[in-house]
Amino acid sequence: MDSTMQHTPLLISSLLRFGTTVFAEQKVITWTGEGSRELTYAEVGQRAAQLSHALRKLGIDGDQRVGTFMWNNAEHLITYLAVPSMGAVLHALNIRLFPPQIVYVATHADDRIVIVDNTLAKPFSGLLAHLPGVQHVIVNGSIDDETRAALEAPEHVVAVHDWDALLEGEPTAYDWPEDLDENSASSMCYTSGTTGNPKGVAYSHRSNYLHAVTAALALGAKQGDRLLVVVPLFHANAWGFPYLAMAVGASLIMPDRFLQAAPLAAMIEREKVTFGAGVPTIWNDLLSYLETNPADLSTCRGLVVGGAAAPPAMMKAFQEEHGITIIHAWGMTEMSPIGTVAIPPTTVEPGSDEYWRYAAAQGRLVVGVEGRLVGPDDSIAPWDGESVGELEVRGPWITRSYYANGRESDVDRMEMESKFHDGWLRTGDVGTLSEDAFLVLTDRAKDVIKSGGEWISSVDLENAIMAHPDVREASVVGVPDDRWGERPLASVVLRAGSPTTVEDVREWLAGRLPKWMLPERWAVIDEVPKTSVGKFDKKVLRKRYAEGELEVQTFG
Ligand code: ADP
């Protein structure tokens, strides 16, 4: 049978066209500090067309890269839609990387034009001299003369444009190319490598499209939802939210640079947020804030938490104190990113121990993602909820290689190749899969603590310590130990003003964990250091310990 269905390519322009016409009344709402500004999706569609016309005039052609150096706001969403729709490739730069890393990724991706928020223009001007490939800078919002002069200074910069002036007068419709290959690149993100430089992942139109639709299904996003996107648009595709909003007809609430607990609580209350997404640290801060600053969060039914393990104590507190369900999910930049979503089976009694075991797991594989556990000596471990292995995955929105342009170092090339195994992606995550496809991660392979013959999960320990009511945050890393090879070191942030000591926490823990898991080494810290996307930064803690910067108390 050779006559089947039509070959309509799955393109970002289809999502753009659909979302901005069929759901023309939905809105993107950008927080401004005291209040918000809004655009309808109809206006988003018009501005996306105007931006594309302007970018063409500035010379963007083929799959050239357009970078962004922006917070989550309406203009970033417009760029997210416009650049791929015109056939070019969007590269959202991680504004929190160290400057040399930003220079590396923008150079490696060959960004031609960068769109910058006015509030980030100054730091960006410091990088620009090191980015000879960047010919045009577009600034969203007004800047002072000094910042403009700094942006114009490098010789390779042809011009600095003002977003509004650039779009002004351009046609509000665009003849989006329909002959694009759905497998061609539409956007890219970089992920921090274990060693060496960040690694680029190029998403295709098809992968972004399929991922958006699946993410909407798996997370239960609905028409008319008001989605608070705390996860940055530069972090792993913003977990699909910009595109899934177009597909289901949901409005987007964009926090811009206001990412602290107080403005987030205000946004949820005033913008009647129904659903949100972000890393655990964001929601943990919000939870502590709400203890002393009550807010009406009754419109919010759920928050997706991923990027790092969601502490069960935090999940329960949101459910019991605020009626908000935390949906735990797991993924990677290399996977667009969603791989699993933890929605307990309907056969399980809500609130029961079994329910919480399911809810606290990393989640159930979503349709389209296949997983297998690979044990030592390459044996495949069964899905029995007990056998441990490294998770490998494959599927239509999982990368088959990293983006390479021939300029990588040998170390980078080796690292890039080592992540693939017979057509599967090695995740570097270790854990179990149950018969019903729930993934429980013990740890990242590099974070597991090898103590004598036992392996200790740093995540299990962190979750157990963070269940203590006077602990705000806890991070556990393995440190060298003469007798056991490695032992856990617990760095703990105690609740402000609490008389509890780490010795008390340890004693409390002693009744809850086997003795061999109990850390002997403890340090009280003011804050757990965080990575560029807000995860606990264990590298920094290991370094601080090695350099004697932590005040460590030893027990037992
Ligand atoms: P980076 O490596 O820069 O942190 P990613 O965000 O792509 O970039 O990281 C993906 C990794 O984050 C996963 O391989 C896993 O180790 C960790 N991770 C993501 N979600 C979870 C989760 N729900 N629980 C535990 N770890 C997670």
Side-chain angles (χ1 to χ4, degrees):
M1 279 193 280
D2 49 7
S3 178
T4 56
M5 298 293 121
Q6 298 176 4
H7 290 256
T8 315
L10 304 178
L11 299 177
I12 299 302
S13 55
S14 328
L15 288 174
L16 162 62
R17 205 181 288 120
F18 182 75
T20 59
T21 53
V22 174
F23 297 118
E25 80 291 354
Q26 293 296 317
K27 288 176 182 160
V28 55
I29 294 158
T30 306
W31 195 251
T32 56
E34 294 82 43
S36 57
R37 58 189 173 94
E38 11 179 283
L39 288 179
T40 62
Y41 280 180
E43 290 167 316
V44 166
Q46 290 164 1
R47 298 207 186 172
Q50 291 179 307
L51 177 64
S52 297
H53 284 292
L55 291 172
R56 273 281 184 262
K57 282 191 189 156
L58 296 181
I60 288 297
D61 195 16
D63 67 355
Q64 284 179 340
R65 265 69 75 195
V66 175
T68 55
F69 199 73
M70 303 174 90
W71 303 105
N72 288 7
N73 51 35
E75 290 69 28
H76 207 170
L77 173 73
I78 291 165
T79 312
Y80 233 78
L81 293 164
V83 171
S85 293
M86 66 188 282
V89 178
L90 171 87
H91 176 204
L93 287 156
N94 180 339
I95 60 173
R96 297 185 198 276
L97 288 180
F98 293 118
Q101 285 180 314
I102 300 176
V103 168
Y104 175 84
V105 299
T107 309
H108 189 259
D110 213 359
D111 297 341
R112 292 298 171 96
I113 293 182
V114 180
I115 306 179
V116 189
D117 274 334
N118 58 347
T119 49
L120 295 167
K122 212 172 216 151
F124 184 72
S125 68
L127 303 167
L128 197 53
H130 308 283
L131 300 173
V134 177
Q135 295 163 354
H136 293 272
V137 177
I138 301 171
V139 183
N140 175 35
S142 55
I143 46 171
D144 56 32
D145 292 346
E146 196 188 324
T147 311
R148 181 172 299 275
L151 289 171
E152 284 171 345
E155 236 167 58
H156 56 86
V157 176
V158 177
V160 175
H161 311 266
D162 174 73
W163 170 283
D164 285 335
L166 188 73
L167 269 60
E168 173 95 42
E170 291 296 343
T172 52
Y174 194 99
D175 206 1
W176 305 113
E178 285 182 2
D179 56 349
L180 281 179
D181 180 350
E182 64 177 16
N183 288 307
S184 62
S186 69
S187 58
M188 60 190 308
C189 278
Y190 280 73
T191 179
S192 52
T194 327
T195 49
N197 289 303
K199 310 286 182 286
V201 177
Y203 308 105
S204 66
H205 286 262
R206 176 187 157 83
S207 71
N208 268 327
Y209 192 115
L210 292 173
H211 176 267
V213 174
T214 310
L217 262 182
L219 299 172
K222 301 195 295 227
Q223 181 179 329
D225 255 333
R226 297 173 69 81
L227 308 171
L228 175 64
V229 190
V230 183
V231 54
L233 267 70
F234 56 74
H235 182 203
N237 233 339
W239 307 356
F241 275 77
Y243 297 144
L244 75 81
M246 293 289 132
V248 301
S251 286
L252 291 168
I253 320 296
M254 299 294 210
D256 201 78
R257 60 193 187 283
F258 305 99
L259 298 167
Q260 306 72 21
L264 289 178
M267 272 175 244
I268 297 177
E269 184 172 281
R270 283 203 245 157
E271 300 302 338
K272 303 200 172 1
V273 165
T274 57
F275 203 74
V279 291
T281 47
I282 292 276
W283 307 122
N284 207 27
D285 287 351
L286 177 64
L287 193 61
S288 311
Y289 172 83
L290 291 171
E291 276 172 21
T292 42
N293 304 276
D296 177 8
L297 308 187
S298 56
T299 53
C300 187
R301 70 170 186 282
L303 298 169
V304 189
V305 177
M314 177 185 90
M315 299 177 75
K316 285 187 185 167
F318 265 109
Q319 189 74 63
E320 285 157 15
E321 290 159 30
H322 303 285
I324 295 176
T325 304
I326 297 282
I327 300 179
H328 195 191
W330 164 86
M332 300 172 76
T333 302
E334 290 86 336
M335 302 174 63
S336 299
I338 296 181
T340 65
V341 175
I343 297 183
T346 48
T347 47
V348 171
E349 176 78 23
S352 62
D353 287 353
E354 195 186 7
Y355 175 91
W356 283 111
R357 264 200 306 282
Y358 276 114
Q362 269 62 29
R364 204 175 216 174
L365 288 170
V366 298
V367 62
V369 175
E370 286 178 79
R372 69 177 186 188
L373 294 171
V374 180
D377 62 38
D378 275 2
S379 62
I380 305 293
W383 290 20
D384 57 10
E386 280 175 18
S387 307
V388 176
E390 179 182 354
L391 182 67
E392 296 189 349
V393 287
R394 65 178 183 192
W397 51 87
I398 295 168
T399 193
R400 81 187 129 100
S401 63
Y402 289 96
Y403 167 67
N405 59 16
R407 282 179 266 147
E408 297 73 27
S409 68
D410 288 346
V411 173
D412 287 334
R413 209 164 303 130
M414 265 165 50
E415 202 188 328
M416 284 156 78
E417 279 163 17
S418 71
K419 293 295 282 285
F420 299 94
H421 180 199
D422 291 346
W424 295 72
L425 172 77
R426 293 186 213 263
T427 65
D429 289 327
V430 175
T432 60
L433 274 163
S434 63
E435 249 175 79
D436 50 0
F438 271 82
L439 171 71
V440 173
L441 287 188
T442 341
D443 231 329
R444 276 191 173 191
K446 59 180 195 267
D447 293 333
V448 178
I449 302 158
K450 296 179 182 120
S451 168
E454 302 286 355
W455 284 24
I456 301 176
S457 154
S458 66
V459 177
D460 282 354
L461 264 178
E462 286 164 1
N463 286 343
I465 300 170
M466 282 192 278
H468 188 289
D470 289 332
V471 173
R472 255 177 57 69
E473 282 182 341
S475 182
V476 174
V477 296
V479 296
D481 181 271
D482 289 344
R483 177 141 180 239
W484 301 103
E486 234 179 18
R487 288 294 296 159
L489 158 74
S491 302
V492 177
V493 182
L494 294 168
R495 198 165 295 281
S498 133
T500 302
T501 63
V502 284
E503 194 167 10
D504 299 333
V505 178
R506 187 175 189 268
E507 235 162 68
W508 177 87
L509 209 59
R512 290 169 167 79
L513 289 177
K515 196 159 181 298
W516 53 269
M517 271 182 83
L518 265 193
E520 297 78 23
R521 297 171 180 84
W522 293 75
V524 177
I525 54 175
D526 293 335
E527 197 191 339
V528 174
K530 312 277 173 10
T531 69
S532 65
V533 290
K535 306 184 191 189
F536 288 175
D537 196 338
K538 302 199 177 194
K539 270 202 301 284
V540 171
L541 283 173
R542 282 192 199 101
K543 186 159 171 274
R544 280 193 197 160
Y545 177 78
E547 291 175 359
E549 283 172 20
L550 286 179
E551 221 172 279
V552 178
Q553 302 176 50
T554 308
F555 309 98

